[in-house]
Amino acid sequence: TSKESLDKHLSVFASEGLRTLVLGKRLLSKEEAEQWLQSYSSAAESVDRRKERLAQVAEEIERNLEIVGITAIEDRLQDGVPETIRDLLRAGIKLWVLTGDKVETAINIGFSSKLLKPKTTLIRVDEGEDFEALKDQLRKLCKTFKALTEERSHGVFLRMMRQINHSLTDLKQGLETGIERIFGRSTPSRRRNRSARDETGEGELALVVTGEALEFILSDAHMSHMLMDLGRICDSVVACRVSPSQKANIVDMVHRLAKPDSETPPMTLSIGDGANDVGMIQEAQIGVGISGHEGLQAVNNSDFAIGQFRFLRRLLLVHGRWNYRRSAKVFLYSFFKNIVLVLTLFAYLPPSGISGQTLYESMV
């Protein structure tokens, strides 16, 4: 049938990393068009529940559409995107990709940007049609990967012991052959092996969740906690077919629930270049907008504006560190300055007869 052929072509285009768009039409009478325009104007001018009313009006008109065709365009990555993502991951920053593209397109973009590696294991949460089935799937995944996390922790200890043994062996061989080696320094062969593992993604996990599943997950507190448990276990998360409101809700969920080591909420940063990213940019503690061909809505609603995604590396890893060091120095200066001022004032109270006279001249 035509629908099966359409779905087949969409899957083929999406698997190649192309952004697809389905075109449809519907003939309206003059009365229907005027009535819908009145409903749309009323919803757009409403103050209470504006987004919900606009979505309801759009759903009323988007019915019984006749498919005209589909389009597929190539959305090329900017220069330096894979290298920037690699450095952010090496810095210990957890990356979540929130996109409205199809699952196949999002996964393909993840591979092309080096967020996903050839040997990365993908965990797909796509039981979005049944609430109980989705909850059971999340429960089984959490149970399975909780045991895997415990094995990983035990494996880290074993790897540390093996690394110590290797270092002792290298030191012994260096002393015997007269070659000076620094204790703990990796040999070139081990550095190559570690680099090869980083390139292939062996042992890494990535979570892929769809927008249909997120509708149930974000509406249930227990399921949101289970999703965050999976997100902490995985090295990266890719959310597909998500709406602008879901993007903002995901950022809020991460800020509230992602507390792996302490009660302090994590710092969230959102970066986007389109109007559909405004919600999550405003929801995050730090909003970064990319100025490009999709308008200036993201830039106008962000804290920082950059020209390309690769500038995020310098913004975080260079200027971010400089700002952190400056803030730390100012904090320590203010802390010790106040200690000195207050202690000397307390020491001056007995000689002044506790009269309240100040020791320092007021600065006008």
Side-chain angles (χ1 to χ4, degrees):
T1 62
S2 59
K3 186 177 184 303
E4 294 177 352
S5 177
L6 180 69
D7 294 338
K8 180 180 178 181
H9 283 85
L10 286 173
S11 300
V12 171
F13 291 149
S15 62
E16 295 178 358
L18 302 177
R19 308 193 73 169
T20 57
L21 177 67
V22 179
L23 306 178
K25 69 176 183 178
R26 175 187 171 191
L27 295 178
L28 300 176
S29 62
K30 183 177 180 180
E31 293 77 11
E32 290 176 333
E34 292 178 349
Q35 183 179 1
W36 183 84
L37 288 174
Q38 290 178 359
S39 302
Y40 178 80
S41 300
S42 176
E45 296 172 358
S46 63
V47 179
D48 186 26
R49 300 171 56 224
R50 180 174 178 272
K51 292 184 179 179
E52 297 180 6
R53 295 187 62 182
L54 285 174
Q56 184 178 1
V57 172
E59 186 177 356
E60 292 178 357
I61 197 66
E62 295 175 356
R63 294 180 180 178
N64 302 322
L65 296 177
E66 179 185 353
I67 302 299
V68 178
I70 58 175
T71 63
I73 60 174
E74 181 181 6
D75 191 5
R76 293 185 178 181
L77 293 176
Q78 296 179 352
D79 295 334
V81 172
E83 293 79 7
T84 302
I85 291 178
R86 180 198 59 195
D87 291 340
L88 294 179
L89 291 174
R90 290 177 59 192
I93 299 175
K94 184 66 71 71
L95 297 182
W96 287 45
V97 177
L98 312 180
T99 177
D101 294 328
K102 290 172 63 66
V103 177
E104 295 84 356
T105 304
I107 293 176
N108 188 281
I109 294 176
F111 281 114
S112 61
S113 63
K114 305 301 181 182
L115 177 66
L116 304 178
K117 313 295 176 49
K119 293 187 178 181
T120 300
T121 302
L122 299 181
I123 307 171
R124 301 186 62 159
V125 178
D126 52 6
E127 296 289 341
E129 298 181 357
D130 187 9
F131 180 85
E132 293 298 331
L134 176 61
K135 193 172 185 178
D136 185 63
Q137 182 187 15
L138 288 175
R139 189 183 296 111
K140 290 180 180 179
L141 288 174
C142 290
K143 183 178 180 181
T144 301
F145 288 100
K146 182 180 180 182
L148 177 63
T149 306
E150 295 175 354
E151 292 180 2
R152 276 187 168 185
S153 301
H154 182 63
V156 168
F157 175 75
L158 293 179
R159 285 195 297 272
M160 290 176 60
M161 296 302 298
R162 285 196 295 267
Q163 184 177 3
I164 293 174
N165 292 332
H166 286 313
S167 300
L168 292 174
T169 303
D170 291 341
L171 180 61
K172 181 179 178 181
Q173 292 176 355
L175 292 175
E176 290 176 353
T177 58
I179 301 175
E180 183 180 0
R181 295 189 182 184
I182 301 176
F183 180 78
R185 177 181 293 178
S186 300
T187 60
S189 61
R190 282 189 204 136
R191 286 198 295 267
R192 286 195 297 268
N193 293 336
R194 187 184 302 116
S195 177
R197 287 195 299 269
D198 293 340
E199 290 295 330
T200 60
E202 185 177 357
E204 294 185 1
L205 300 175
L207 178 64
V208 180
V209 57
T210 62
E212 295 180 355
L214 284 171
E215 290 185 7
F216 293 115
I217 294 174
L218 295 176
S219 63
D220 185 80
H222 181 56
M223 294 175 68
S224 298
H225 279 85
M226 288 192 291
L227 179 66
M228 281 307 309
D229 292 338
L230 288 175
R232 282 195 293 267
I233 295 172
C234 297
D235 298 280
S236 57
V237 179
V238 179
C240 318
R241 284 297 190 194
V242 292
S243 63
S245 59
Q246 286 178 333
K247 292 181 180 181
N249 293 334
I250 291 174
V251 175
D252 176 67
M253 178 190 69
V254 172
H255 179 67
R256 290 185 294 104
L257 304 181
K259 302 175 183 178
D261 300 324
S262 64
E263 292 300 322
T264 304
M267 183 70 69
T268 56
L269 181 146
S270 296
I271 179 170
D273 60 352
N276 56 347
D277 301 320
V278 171
M280 70 174 186
I281 289 176
Q282 292 179 336
E283 186 65 37
Q285 276 74 26
I286 303 174
V288 180
I290 303 177
S291 58
H293 299 290
E294 299 192 22
L296 298 177
Q297 291 89 341
V299 171
N300 294 334
N301 291 275
S302 62
D303 301 307
F304 300 93
I306 58 179
Q308 294 187 19
F309 181 83
R310 60 188 176 93
F311 298 150
L312 182 66
R313 172 172 50 185
R314 186 170 181 83
L315 177 65
L316 291 181
L317 305 183
V318 178
H319 295 284
R321 176 170 173 79
W322 288 350
N323 182 69
Y324 178 80
R325 291 174 63 89
R326 287 193 294 265
S327 300
K329 290 180 180 179
V330 170
F331 174 78
L332 291 176
Y333 166 76
S334 301
F335 179 75
F336 288 110
K337 182 196 73 172
N338 284 281
I339 286 181
V340 172
L341 292 177
V342 171
L343 289 181
T344 52
L345 287 176
F346 271 109
Y348 185 66
L349 282 177
S352 64
I354 315 179
S355 62
Q357 181 180 357
T358 60
L359 177 63
Y360 306 105
E361 292 287 343
S362 299
M363 298 183 65
V364 181

